[in-house]
């Protein structure tokens, strides 16, 4: 099934075909005659679809990730619902990221009533629609659109009417007719690459490019890079394509990519399609569209110091837990001081004059070079060490002002983290 | 072991004896010689105790429930720690509720160093102390008090110093020398009684008595009652005492009682001791002290309507879930309208003009009397139905302005809930 996605022509791929069963669209009641009381479509312009509650609830949970928690555009608090010949389409958007899922019409028991290709649509209040469907019993749910104003939801002995908005103002899903790049890779790899890199993107919009993740493909390797100018994360992985793929480079909004990472199952594949303005991640159950961030990403190749004065290898879990504890007492600035000591250990020191202070020691697996004493942001280092999936990590220290380099030992040079030290009076 | 509690003389019972192993107190390093670097107690006034990390962390989690989230008295953000001859005492207080746990000195391997009966104490910042201990590895933890200013925590290769406050200003644990009432009952019963009643106490301090739970014992039955004047909950249970117990009545702060309910294990027993000003709940692992609320609780016996115009019995889970769904669309006032219909069902209706509306039907198990139409606060009814542990519930309707009575069918008259209807224009 996934092979089909990869072999599809570029451009606007059709909706994914998971959830092929369980949806019925039509003017006739189909399997739930008792639930129908209204006029038929022919008589009054109503269109109905029946879908099982768990499928609808799962699909709504997915699109919910694109509903903004705060927005100046009220219609974005809604979910765009369309009942059409092929099933039900649900779309949510925060104007940067759009998530679309399709609940496809069942091959069996489908109504023969003439439903238009496009079908009617309505923007319904997301929070209420999601909460209602989640709390319904797990039987069939009947959706009915009437006069482009009201969504009726029937389930068991319950009947809900939600007043919606005209979809006229809702952001259109990008058409992506002129796709120029396509790549298919396993969810497992994509999820781990996002987890290892996206946290380092800036959460501020002051420099929009730094809020993004650089995605670079050279025909053989995919590399993701993020930096907020204090910390830097990079992961490279070989990704071969059966039909080849061109080189490509773009900057993807970091928050949207993090949401994608959380949504991805470990199983299955994702097909990535990009044009000049947008990128689409398509899995078996949904499509996530993202606006690209335009501009020249800062040069990254010169960031890594060419030499080091000391290399220290430690157990990742031990040093992570020690820094987590030390950072508890580091106060607002999260300043942690690291010092090598001659007994094959590093000391981690922090504290504030009000609460208290702390010293932890972590034994090293190997230690080469000169003695080192350097301060850094403990929370940033915790983020880096949590992203490392290697059992050991090597810190390379250049000099007091150069960045600390962290290399996960098992992954070799394919993963790389940098953290700029903090100058202190110590 | 629990029989001992019941047979103990009234007054200040000794600390509970759980956690008898795992604590060592003394001036000598005991089992952790490498961790000691300071002077011995004889030389400099230091006192040390060793305790296993899981025990200390669990004890801290318990007392943490009494640490206020907001307080005008800074010292209440601390935990009062005392190292003494018998072990370690931890106390936290929000000035209404005080929780005290004892980590007892191990019978084996105890130090013979002369530690004073009372021992030194310090109030250490609760949040930091708890977070540090929770994140320590599960080995032994060494606590050391020095000069009444600093708590030193050693674990593995880590050394933490927390700057504390003088306990002078910390609220004293009530002495309760003149206890006048004592009762022992199973945690399981006490926990379920609290869960079924305490939610109905007022969360406002406008009428302090209504923020409390009335506790009434007649020599054979214990009854808990709470009301915020709109809803009312009552549970009665037979509680026989091997040595008898006098009749008793007091009003206990509802929030403190709810915290106790969450803390109680299903196993074990709780001994309740009260004097004129305080009540103490003592379990195997902790003591919770509460100030009583003084004053005359409103008369409760006349609240229950003597007759009803209709009795309707429904499945508790079905009606709860239906009201949960209906309340989703009920807006800020949470107004839900209930109407009996001739087809042996109740209709539940709600809605707002902005979002939408809803009608649910719940089939009844039995329906007697006249047709009924009444409105109520849906969230309050949800709280009541969640507290009901019976599979079926009977609603008794008196008239439009009298309270709706809810009686859990299996529990008979031992549980009773009232909810005042809302007058609506409908």
């Amino acid at each position: 099934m996934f092979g089909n996605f990869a072999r599809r022509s570029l451009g606007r791929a059709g909706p994914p075909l998971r959830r092929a069963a369980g949806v019925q669209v039509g003017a006739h009641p189909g399997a739930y005659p008792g639930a129908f009381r209204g006029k038929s479509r022919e008589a009054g312009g109503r269109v109905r679809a029946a879908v099982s509650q768990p499928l609808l609830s799962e699909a709504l949970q997915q699109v919910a990730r694109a509903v903004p928690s705060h927005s100046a555009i009220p219609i974005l608090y809604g979910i765009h619902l369309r009942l059409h010949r092929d099933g039900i389409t649900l779309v949510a958007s925060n104007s940067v990221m759009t998530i679309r899922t399709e609940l496809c019409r069942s091959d069996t028991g489908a109504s023969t009533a003439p439903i238009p290709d496009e079908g009617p649509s309505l923007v319904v209040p997301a929070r209420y629609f999601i909460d209602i469907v989640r709390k319904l019993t797990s039987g069939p749910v009947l959706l009915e659109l009437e006069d482009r104003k009201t969504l009726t939801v029937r389930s068991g002995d319950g009947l809900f009417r939600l007043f919606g908005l005209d979809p006229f103002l809702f952001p259109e899903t990008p058409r992506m007719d002129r796709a120029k790049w396509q790549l298919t890779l396993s969810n497992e790899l994509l999820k781990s690459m996002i987890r290892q890199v996206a946290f380092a993107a800036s959460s501020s919009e002051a420099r929009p490019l730094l809020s993004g993740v650089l995605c670079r493909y050279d025909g053989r390797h995919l590399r993701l890079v993020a930096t907020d100018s204090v910390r830097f994360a990079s992961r490279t992985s070989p990704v071969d394509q059966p039909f080849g793929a061109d080189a490509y480079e773009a900057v993807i909004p970091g928050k949207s990519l993090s949401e994608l990472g959380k949504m991805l199952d470990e199983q299955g594949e994702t097909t990535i399609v990009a044009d000049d303005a947008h990128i689409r991640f398509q899995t078996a159950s949904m499509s996530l569209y993202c606006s690209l961030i335009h501009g020249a990403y800062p040069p990254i190749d010169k960031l890594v110091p060419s030499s080091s004065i000391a290399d220290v290898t430690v157990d990742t879990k031990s040093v992570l837990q020690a820094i987590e504890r030390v950072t508890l007492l580091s106060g607002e600035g999260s300043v942690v001081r690291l010092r090598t000591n001659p007994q094959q250990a590093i000391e981690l020191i922090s504290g504030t004059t009000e609460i208290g202070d702390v010293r932890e020691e972590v034994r090293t697996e190997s230690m080469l070079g000169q003695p080192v004493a350097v301060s850094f942001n403990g929370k940033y280092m915790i983020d880096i060490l949590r992203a490392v999936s290697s059992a050991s990590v090597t810190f390379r220290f250049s000099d007091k002002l150069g960045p600390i380099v962290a290399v996960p030992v098992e992954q070799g040079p394919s993963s790389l983290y940098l953290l700029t030290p903090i100058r202190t009076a110590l």
Side-chain angles (χ1 to χ4, degrees), chain A residues 114-151:
Chain A
I115 301 287
D117 287 13
E118 284 295 310
S121 66
L122 191 68
V123 177
V124 290
R127 185 162 64 87
Y128 294 97
F129 190 27
I130 292 167
D131 285 351
I132 288 168
V133 171
R134 182 169 46 208
K135 284 194 169 283
L136 294 177
T137 50
S138 66
V141 178
L142 194 76
L143 304 178
E144 183 176 319
L145 283 181
E146 181 187 351
D147 303 332
R148 294 178 177 268
K149 276 185 193 160
T150 307
L151 168 68

Side-chain angles (χ1 to χ4, degrees), chain A residues 93-218:
Chain A
S93 177
N94 62 14
S95 78
V96 170
M97 169 173 75
T98 299
I99 299 178
R100 177 186 171 117
T101 74
E102 305 277 348
L103 289 155
C104 290
R105 186 183 187 180
S106 170
D107 292 333
T108 59
S111 161
T112 54
I115 301 287
D117 287 13
E118 284 295 310
S121 66
L122 191 68
V123 177
V124 290
R127 185 162 64 87
Y128 294 97
F129 190 27
I130 292 167
D131 285 351
I132 288 168
V133 171
R134 182 169 46 208
K135 284 194 169 283
L136 294 177
T137 50
S138 66
V141 178
L142 194 76
L143 304 178
E144 183 176 319
L145 283 181
E146 181 187 351
D147 303 332
R148 294 178 177 268
K149 276 185 193 160
T150 307
L151 168 68
T152 304
V153 181
R154 288 171 211 259
S155 158
D157 291 323
L159 187 154
F160 299 78
R161 295 193 313 160
L162 283 172
F163 308 142
L165 295 170
D166 192 302
F168 173 67
L169 287 170
F170 199 83
E172 267 202 79
T173 305
R175 295 194 65 83
M176 303 192 68
D177 290 332
R178 297 185 184 178
K180 61 175 208 180
W181 184 66
Q182 176 166 338
L183 194 78
T184 297
L185 72 172
S186 76
N187 287 352
E188 191 187 356
L189 176 62
L190 181 59
K191 193 178 174 78
S192 87
M193 289 183 77
I194 292 171
R195 190 183 70 80
Q196 289 171 6
V197 172
F199 73 89
S202 172
S203 54
S204 144
E205 295 295 321
R207 293 178 64 187
L209 276 164
L210 295 193
S211 72
V213 172
L214 176 68
C215 169
R216 185 181 276 175
Y217 185 68
D218 66 2

Side-chain angles (χ1 to χ4, degrees), chain A residues 266-278:
Chain A
E266 292 283 349
Q267 277 79 44
E269 285 184 322
T270 299
T271 295
I272 310 175
V273 176
D275 65 14
D276 286 329
H278 297 95

Side-chain angles (χ1 to χ4, degrees), chain A residues 203-267:
Chain A
S203 54
S204 144
E205 295 295 321
R207 293 178 64 187
L209 276 164
L210 295 193
S211 72
V213 172
L214 176 68
C215 169
R216 185 181 276 175
Y217 185 68
D218 66 2
R220 297 286 300 280
H221 298 87
L222 182 67
R223 183 175 185 188
L224 297 185
V225 172
T227 179
D228 62 1
S229 81
V230 173
R231 55 188 172 174
F232 169 97
S234 164
R235 167 85 195 272
T236 307
S237 182
V239 175
D240 279 326
Q241 294 294 292
F243 299 92
D246 296 334
Y248 177 75
E249 184 169 313
V251 181
I252 305 165
K255 277 185 203 163
S256 306
L257 206 58
S258 292
E259 283 300 329
L260 174 68
K262 289 179 212 156
M263 291 172 79
L264 288 175
D265 289 333
E266 292 283 349
Q267 277 79 44

